[in-house]
Amino acid sequence: MLKDNFNDLLSFMVVARERSFTRAAAQLGVSQSALSHAMRNLEARLGIRLLTRTTRSVAPTEAGEQLLSRLSPHLLEMEQELTALRDMRDKPAGNIRLTAGEHAVNAVLWPVLKPFMARYPDINIEVTVDNGLTDIVDGRFDAGVRLGEQIARDMIAVRIAPDMRMAVVGSPDYLARYGVPGTPEQLAHHRCINMRLPTRGGLYVWEFEKAGRELRVRVEGQLTLNSLPQRIDAAEAGLGLAYVPEDAVESALASGKLVRVLESWCPPFDGYHLYYPSRRQHTTAFALLVEALRIGPVSA
């Protein structure tokens, strides 16, 4: 009975989290019919309905949500302890799930992950590229990457990149045609390449600061893109001014494909950090990755 309850409770947790018998069955390696049968048996033993089923979806009932909230921490702790035992082998091993924005992956994570994975072939890493402010606990990620100012205080934050700067850039042809803005306010008279935010659907507001004066400018233009390489390419093609991380356009600036404007209005700010819950016990594999990504103190 104990074994049946444990297996069925684990299955229930996956179904409730995925809200799909199809996805849950795939994760558990069982058939949908067997999984559905197991859930009906669990509900019968407990004498209460845990899942609401329709032809298109499945969701936990109020009782199911309560059971899920109580089960998850204990099952997660057991999973971590088993993983820690596996880590006692000669070779570090395990699975690590990370989430980060497009620029952070390309500029910070990927250059470290390539040699790291070659050195530790038994450590499996999954990276989800997401420019939104992902909830790493709800998404069951081991860690995420954000700018220092965006990290919640209840998280552990490890600096993995130096301070950053943004840059407003345009092609020489564009600037010859439309002129060079002298202040952020003059961007109102320019074509600007917008970026739509994934979290709330709004457009990113360009942020500037000079001599203690802060400005947030809502720009307009013909083109809106959420991919950094495409925004840079559009600027090189003369379609407008782009607001992008400085390091992403260093080669284009050096070659003359792009010209920087409003540089004095773009001071440095706190760079990327790896962050993760302070309550979570991490594996040896995760600790090795943190140390590989960590950088030393950054001078002011």
Side-chain angles (χ1 to χ4, degrees):
M1 179 66 73
L2 178 61
K3 178 181 177 182
D4 290 341
N5 279 335
F6 182 82
N7 290 338
D8 290 348
L9 286 172
L10 178 61
S11 298
F12 161 74
M13 189 176 74
V14 177
V15 172
R17 187 178 67 233
E18 295 296 328
R19 294 177 181 261
S20 165
F21 277 108
T22 302
R23 292 194 295 270
Q27 281 194 28
L28 294 167
V30 299
S31 67
Q32 292 184 50
S33 59
L35 184 58
S36 180
H37 182 69
M39 293 301 94
R40 286 195 297 270
N41 285 342
L42 176 63
E43 290 175 327
R45 290 199 301 272
L46 296 177
I48 191 169
R49 183 174 292 278
L50 299 174
L51 297 167
T52 299
R53 304 163 177 83
T54 69
T55 55
R56 295 186 176 182
S57 64
V58 58
T61 62
E62 183 177 353
E65 289 283 6
Q66 185 176 1
L67 178 60
L68 180 65
S69 67
R70 292 179 177 178
L71 276 179
S72 296
H74 298 295
L75 290 175
L76 180 60
E77 184 178 355
M78 292 172 62
E79 182 181 4
Q80 290 170 347
E81 290 297 334
L82 290 173
T83 301
L85 287 175
R86 290 196 298 269
D87 278 352
M88 295 176 67
R89 300 180 304 182
D90 293 337
K91 294 183 179 180
N95 301 316
I96 302 173
R97 298 186 70 235
L98 305 172
T99 179
E102 179 184 31
H103 177 252
V105 169
N106 293 332
V108 181
L109 279 184
W110 189 232
V112 173
L113 289 182
K114 284 190 290 185
F116 180 86
M117 296 184 72
R119 182 177 181 182
Y120 301 108
D122 293 324
I123 297 178
N124 305 316
I125 298 178
E126 177 184 343
V127 179
T128 296
V129 179
D130 185 356
N131 290 322
L133 297 179
T134 304
D135 185 333
I136 60 172
V137 175
D138 184 60
R140 293 179 61 81
F141 290 100
D142 293 292
V145 177
R146 285 186 190 172
L147 298 174
E149 63 186 19
Q150 297 175 332
I151 298 175
R153 292 184 177 181
D154 61 345
M155 294 284 174
I156 293 177
V158 177
R159 178 183 279 272
I160 61 174
D163 287 350
M164 292 175 53
R165 292 183 73 192
M166 298 297 287
V168 181
V169 294
S171 71
D173 289 344
Y174 172 88
L175 295 172
R177 183 177 181 183
Y178 294 99
V180 177
T183 65
E185 291 93 339
Q186 292 179 10
L187 292 172
H189 307 295
H190 281 265
R191 293 171 174 260
C192 296
I193 301 165
N194 263 307
M195 179 181 73
R196 189 167 299 283
L197 297 171
T199 47
R200 298 181 181 177
L203 297 177
Y204 178 69
V205 178
W206 295 13
E207 300 173 282
F208 300 96
E209 182 182 346
K210 185 177 183 180
R213 181 188 177 198
E214 297 182 2
L215 287 177
R216 292 167 56 86
V217 180
R218 297 186 180 276
V219 298
E220 296 183 1
Q222 181 184 13
L223 186 61
T224 299
L225 296 165
N226 65 357
S227 168
L228 176 60
Q230 287 181 326
R231 296 205 310 277
I232 295 172
D233 186 59
E236 292 179 356
L239 297 179
L241 298 176
Y243 186 67
V244 296
E246 178 184 60
D247 66 285
V249 289
E250 285 179 344
S251 61
L253 291 172
S255 67
K257 290 182 179 179
L258 291 173
V259 176
R260 185 171 189 172
V261 299
L262 301 176
E263 183 172 359
S264 62
W265 283 91
C266 299
F269 56 90
D270 207 6
Y272 289 122
H273 289 64
L274 188 79
Y275 70 99
Y276 49 92
S278 58
R279 300 181 301 277
R280 182 169 295 179
Q281 178 182 352
H282 288 286
T283 64
T284 301
F286 183 81
L288 288 170
L289 180 60
V290 171
E291 289 308 308
L293 287 166
R294 187 194 303 270
I295 65 171
V298 178
S299 58

